[in-house]
Amino acid sequence: MKLIFFLLLLRHLCAFKSSTKGIDLLFSTISELQIALESNWITSRDLVTWYLERIDEVNKDLRAVIETNPDALVIAKQLDSERKEKGARSPLHGIPVLVKDNIATADKMNTTAGSYALLGSRVPRDAGVIYRLRKAGAIILGKASMSEWAAFRSTNETREGWSARGGMSASAYIKDGDPCGSSSGSGIAASIGLSAATLGTETDGSIVCPASRASIVGLKPTVGLTSRAGVIPISHTQDSVGPMAQTVRDVALVLEIIQGIDPHDNATLDMDAVRPCNYTQFLLGSEGFKNMRLGVVRRGIFDNSSSVTVSQEQVNAANDAIKLMKKLGAHIQDPADIETIDEINRSAAELTVLNTDFKQDIKAYLSELTNTNIKTLADLIQFNREHQDVEFSKYMINQNQFEASENTTGYDSDEYIQAVATSLRLGRKEGIDYTLDKYKLDALIMIGDGASTASAIARYPIISVPLGYLTKQNGINEALSGTPFGMLFTGRAWSEGTLLRLAHAFEQATHIREKVRPQFAPE
Ligand SMILES: *[C@@H]1O[C@H](CO)[C@@H](O)[C@H](O)[C@H]1NC(C)=O
Ligand SMILES: *[C@@H]1O[C@H](CO)[C@@H](O)[C@H](O)[C@H]1NC(C)=O
Ligand SMILES: *[C@@H]1O[C@H](CO)[C@@H](O)[C@H](O)[C@H]1NC(C)=O
Ligand SMILES: *[C@@H]1O[C@H](CO)[C@@H](O)[C@H](O)[C@H]1NC(C)=O
Ligand SMILES: *[C@@H]1O[C@H](CO)[C@@H](O)[C@H](O)[C@H]1NC(C)=O
Ligand SMILES: *[C@@H]1O[C@H](CO)[C@@H](O)[C@H](O)[C@H]1NC(C)=O
Ligand SMILES: *[C@@H]1O[C@H](CO)[C@@H](O)[C@H](O)[C@H]1NC(C)=O
């Protein structure tokens, strides 16, 4: 044990810092921290102290964190004693994590989706995923900032990552960089080691886009793998909670803990769900590409023909990556287009589903809160009207999507029923399923912000893993030079094991994250 630990220290020796006993929090993985904890080199109290200092140091500029947990040190102390007496409960024992501000914690912290409307309200219990994290011994260190209401309040956002409570958050890679959203703070925090891992939520792109922009790994699980109970919703049809972290292994470790059945979320009761109790078994290093059959979704994703825009540099990086996968033993089907991709780009079905769901789902969420008068979407709209001074900004000038949602007429409307069917047809039957079946593929490869929609409407998993950084070549605006971008793998329901295997194989073959140190990371 000691030997492994000192080898681990050596790995980061160039960055030896006495203030953190040689632990480089920017690059230390959960397993490395766990070794340091087990060998008594550090304590969870140390970790909490260091992470809180790091948050303090950068948060004024980056605004990645909305609140920290006033009890974190006390909790860490208890977990340190417990480790001494009985050993660690899990690989997350004593490990601090930040969670997006739409995930309920029944403690001293607020859960507000970034809005003043819910400040001071009390949640009935921890969210399902928080219950599992705490049971595993993780420390909930604080609430990460986000695009307010998970970017669902307005279609006129000029930039993601803004909320009334959190302010405008920024990427740590470039000055005032757009962090993407809506799990903006979760992405930024994981990218610069403000906690060992974070949780985000995704309805369509809200984990994979900020993960991509932060050069970290983000996984949106199949809808129903992780509980959404206690999560401020957009849509029970599409929402999913997932891990964001520096490495694929860390994402796998956190997924293993947070996934599972929850009586408060019916989607987790799906009898077809595949829940391997060990996700790290899928991580095979660069061997992981052997015998994998992968398809490249060119049309609508690589070619700028839809609302997904990609630079030539991203395309080149992906083409190189695909060559590498082939060399490492993958069978590549290129192209493996999703035949419905143009129809998906044009279809209003997703919007109809989300607008209809939000009005009902937010009401169900609000019905369990106490210490607030806000009970319905109409109340939220009224609150925003009365508090325009704080709730409206140049980044979010209105609440037009709330208003559109308020206008919907419920689950029985023909429009809704048809939209749900259309989404499943375009996303699954004639979309992802059709492509995977046609070429007998294990997974699909994509790039680009907005490429998540087919997986979103299919309710299927998608993972982002670091692929590269924009440079000044190819007409890139100088200000954007240095922006990270990711590669996406998507597949069928419950194929998280396969997606983790592929992402791990790519990560281990390339180590893109370690190549560039974020400029605005804490000292
Ligand atoms: C939660 O919000 C209340 C205001 O309603 C504030 O007093 C409190 O400090 C907040 N909690 C934390 C942990 O910041
Ligand atoms: C807001 O977005 C909608 C489309 O979603 C557009 O029609 C409208 O012009 C925008 N309004 C402003 C003020 O930008
Ligand atoms: C789960 O489904 C049952 C039966 O359809 C329903 O009565 C119950 O309210 C649902 N629970 C939740 C939390 O959605
Ligand atoms: C999971 O599987 C891996 C590889 O088979 C193994 O090394 C590891 O110990 C397992 N983890 C647990 C918690 O059983
Ligand atoms: C995709 O949608 C955008 C607008 O969102 C439109 O400009 C473009 O023409 C569409 N592409 C296709 C192939 O339908
Ligand atoms: C896509 O369009 C953008 C401009 O909207 C351009 O800068 C970029 O080079 C295009 N990408 C490709 C792959 O042609
Ligand atoms: C909502 O419905 C009202 C009344 O029909 C209409 O005036 C308004 O434009 C609609 N708002 C949106 C955002 O669709």
Side-chain angles (χ1 to χ4, degrees):
M1 178 61 88
K2 279 260 150 63
L3 178 66
I4 301 173
F5 177 57
F6 286 113
L7 288 176
L8 182 162
L9 264 185
L10 278 177
R11 188 160 88 80
H12 303 303
L13 203 60
C14 54
F16 191 96
K17 274 179 272 144
S18 52
S19 58
T20 54
K21 299 190 181 170
I23 306 284
D24 181 359
L25 294 170
L26 184 57
F27 288 115
S28 294
T29 64
I30 292 175
S31 317
E32 289 169 345
L33 293 177
Q34 205 54 259
I35 291 170
L37 287 164
E38 280 290 307
S39 69
N40 279 324
W41 180 261
I42 61 169
T43 63
S44 291
R45 259 179 77 91
D46 289 335
L47 279 180
V48 167
T49 308
W50 298 336
Y51 282 130
L52 290 176
E53 282 168 8
R54 290 169 75 81
I55 291 169
D56 256 5
E57 190 180 331
V58 294
N59 207 46
K60 199 161 72 59
D61 296 323
L62 302 185
R63 295 177 177 270
V65 178
I66 292 194
E67 281 186 10
T68 53
N69 186 349
D71 292 330
L73 272 172
V74 173
I75 295 168
K77 199 173 165 196
Q78 285 161 359
L79 289 163
D80 283 332
S81 313
E82 187 187 314
R83 178 193 298 275
K84 271 206 185 114
E85 281 161 31
K86 301 190 223 159
R89 291 184 210 172
S90 85
L92 289 194
H93 185 114
I95 299 288
V97 297
L98 288 161
V99 304
K100 189 173 177 179
D101 187 45
N102 60 354
I103 303 178
T105 55
D107 51 19
K108 288 181 187 150
M109 288 189 284
N110 297 285
T111 304
T112 68
S115 165
Y116 282 105
L118 297 186
L119 187 60
S121 66
R122 277 193 211 103
V123 300
R125 65 189 82 82
D126 278 338
V129 291
I130 298 292
Y131 167 78
R132 286 178 183 276
L133 282 174
R134 289 202 216 267
K135 203 169 74 167
I139 301 165
I140 311 300
L141 185 66
K143 294 292 178 71
S145 61
M146 57 187 285
S147 308
E148 191 176 295
W149 296 105
F152 197 75
R153 202 189 84 188
S154 169
T155 59
N156 300 97
E157 270 182 297
T158 54
R159 186 170 129 167
E160 290 246 27
W162 180 86
S163 72
R165 286 193 65 219
M168 187 70 241
S169 55
S171 157
Y173 280 85
I174 60 170
K175 182 117 190 74
D176 296 325
D178 183 338
C180 199
S182 63
S183 308
S184 317
S186 305
I188 300 160
S191 79
I192 52 175
L194 302 187
S195 65
T198 64
L199 293 189
T201 65
E202 171 156 335
T203 308
D204 184 346
S206 277
I207 288 175
V208 291
C209 188
S212 159
R213 207 67 70 78
S215 209
I216 57 161
V217 183
L219 170 68
K220 183 208 84 169
T222 310
V223 172
L225 187 72
T226 52
S227 167
R228 291 89 43 84
V231 176
I232 298 177
I234 290 178
S235 154
H236 69 278
T237 308
Q238 287 186 204
D239 294 351
S240 187
V241 182
M244 301 168 78
Q246 297 176 18
T247 66
V248 177
R249 183 169 296 275
D250 287 354
V251 161
L253 285 174
V254 175
L255 181 67
E256 204 166 299
I257 301 288
I258 63 171
Q259 66 85 28
I261 289 171
D262 181 349
H264 292 292
D265 178 2
N266 282 350
T268 65
L269 307 179
D270 188 330
M271 297 300 284
D272 294 331
V274 178
R275 301 179 181 278
C277 50
N278 182 339
Y279 279 96
T280 56
Q281 66 176 307
F282 297 101
L283 312 183
L284 308 176
S286 50
E287 295 287 297
F289 283 124
K290 281 205 178 124
N291 303 320
M292 283 277 121
R293 295 181 57 87
L294 308 177
V296 185
V297 184
R298 293 276 170 190
R299 196 171 81 239
I301 304 293
F302 278 70
D303 62 6
N304 269 354
S305 74
S306 72
S307 41
V308 180
T309 45
V310 291
S311 70
Q312 192 55 50
E313 222 174 339
Q314 282 168 284
V315 171
N316 296 348
N319 287 340
D320 289 346
I322 291 160
K323 272 190 213 131
L324 176 67
M325 294 177 204
K326 210 168 180 172
K327 213 174 102 196
L328 291 170
H331 172 87
I332 303 288
Q333 170 66 43
D334 186 1
D337 290 335
I338 296 176
E339 293 194 1
T340 51
I341 205 86
D342 297 337
E343 212 182 324
I344 289 173
N345 178 54
R346 284 190 302 266
S347 170
E350 180 183 32
L351 197 59
T352 300
V353 171
L354 302 189
N355 281 343
T356 306
D357 281 354
F358 182 69
K359 183 175 176 181
Q360 314 297 326
D361 290 336
I362 193 65
K363 188 174 168 190
Y365 177 86
L366 295 169
S367 74
E368 292 204 272
L369 300 184
T370 51
N371 204 37
T372 177
N373 294 324
I374 297 206
K375 292 291 167 209
T376 62
L377 176 55
D379 295 341
L380 285 174
I381 291 172
Q382 188 57 31
F383 179 93
N384 289 335
R385 282 199 189 118
E386 287 166 5
H387 297 84
Q388 292 191 26
D389 52 332
V390 288
E391 283 293 344
F392 284 31
S393 83
K394 65 177 172 179
Y395 302 111
M396 207 185 276
I397 54 173
N398 60 24
Q399 52 178 339
N400 66 343
Q401 193 146 17
F402 271 12
E403 285 155 0
S405 176
E406 178 62 17
N407 277 358
T408 60
T409 55
Y411 299 142
D412 294 335
S413 80
D414 287 345
E415 200 196 358
Y416 179 75
I417 292 165
Q418 267 177 33
V420 170
T422 301
S423 276
L424 288 178
R425 176 176 66 79
L426 294 177
R428 288 188 185 176
K429 195 160 179 285
E430 297 175 12
I432 293 175
D433 289 359
Y434 181 83
T435 310
L436 292 173
D437 289 343
K438 180 172 173 187
Y439 301 112
K440 302 191 167 51
L441 301 172
D442 295 297
L444 299 174
I445 297 169
M446 302 192 295
I447 49 172
D449 300 350
S452 50
T453 299
S455 318
I457 61 178
R459 311 172 200 174
Y460 284 175
I462 183 166
I463 193 166
S464 178
V465 60
L467 172 61
Y469 304 84
L470 295 179
T471 63
K472 283 173 210 160
Q473 294 162 24
N474 298 311
I476 293 297
N477 175 349
E478 193 161 328
L480 295 180
S481 165
T483 303
F485 54 87
M487 162 156 276
L488 302 165
F489 294 103
T490 190
R492 287 174 216 279
W494 323 115
S495 66
E496 285 79 6
T498 302
L499 302 188
L500 287 164
R501 167 181 167 158
L502 294 167
H504 189 248
F506 187 66
E507 169 192 71
Q508 294 304 304
T510 57
H511 293 285
I512 310 264
R513 171 177 150 77
E514 280 114 311
K515 289 195 172 135
V516 176
R517 193 185 166 90
Q519 286 190 59
F520 301 103
E523 273 303 296

